[in-house]
Amino acid sequence: MTNSRSEFFSYGLIGVVMGITLSLTCFSSFDQVHKMFTFEEWYLIFVFGAAVIFNSIGFFLLARNKKLAKKAFTSGTIPGSVMFGVGWALTGACPSIALVQVGEGQLAALVTILGVLMGVWLFRGFARTAQIDSGVCGEE
């Protein structure tokens, strides 16, 4: 299945709007994210919820005429989710926020991006060794 240029443009536009929104709402600030996780500030939780809703609607509209494969819950879902959460709590950034931080000139976010890449690489190696389904599409 190939994607058209207009689809790539649509996905890119959603990403740019999301990145600008995350930057303007201070979601790229470690201090603000820390306050969210410690429940000192609630507005970022609402921003997060709004982002999930906005992106869900956007991707629903983009995929409305396509048959998408259902993603199964695998044995790697829980460990991968825990690693993602721990990484987010330690760095104050998920992968998309790290890209926003780099766009803002916060070059320390490059360490976070490197950590994401290393974490994925290590987990995939661990998943093969421990015979855990990593949930990666196209790999059997």
Side-chain angles (χ1 to χ4, degrees):
M1 172 173 24
T2 60
N3 292 326
S4 69
R5 287 184 185 190
S6 65
E7 284 179 291
F8 283 120
F9 178 76
S10 298
Y11 291 130
L13 183 61
I14 288 171
V16 168
V17 169
M18 181 178 163
I20 291 169
T21 302
L22 293 172
S23 181
L24 291 174
T25 57
C26 298
F27 222 112
S28 55
S29 164
F30 178 84
D31 293 333
Q32 293 301 317
V33 171
H34 176 75
K35 288 178 182 178
M36 176 187 75
F37 280 125
T38 57
F39 302 108
E40 293 177 50
E41 293 280 349
W42 286 87
Y43 83 94
L44 282 183
I45 293 172
F46 296 117
V47 169
F48 185 81
V52 168
I53 291 168
F54 170 76
N55 282 299
S56 296
I57 292 168
F59 285 113
F60 172 78
L61 292 173
L62 288 170
R64 68 184 173 272
N65 296 325
K66 293 184 178 189
K67 182 168 174 64
L68 300 176
K70 296 215 182 240
K71 187 78 167 150
F73 184 86
T74 68
S75 58
T77 301
I78 299 298
S81 300
V82 169
M83 287 177 62
F84 180 87
V86 168
W88 192 6
L90 290 174
T91 64
C94 66
S96 60
I97 295 297
L99 294 174
V100 171
Q101 290 171 333
V102 169
E104 292 176 341
Q106 298 181 42
L107 297 183
L110 292 172
V111 175
T112 301
I113 293 170
L114 180 62
V116 167
L117 295 173
M118 285 179 50
V120 168
W121 181 74
L122 288 171
F123 180 74
R124 289 180 75 185
F126 170 75
R128 271 192 295 277
T129 303
Q131 297 181 343
I132 296 173
D133 182 357
S134 66
V136 177
C137 296
E139 291 185 3
E140 304 302 327

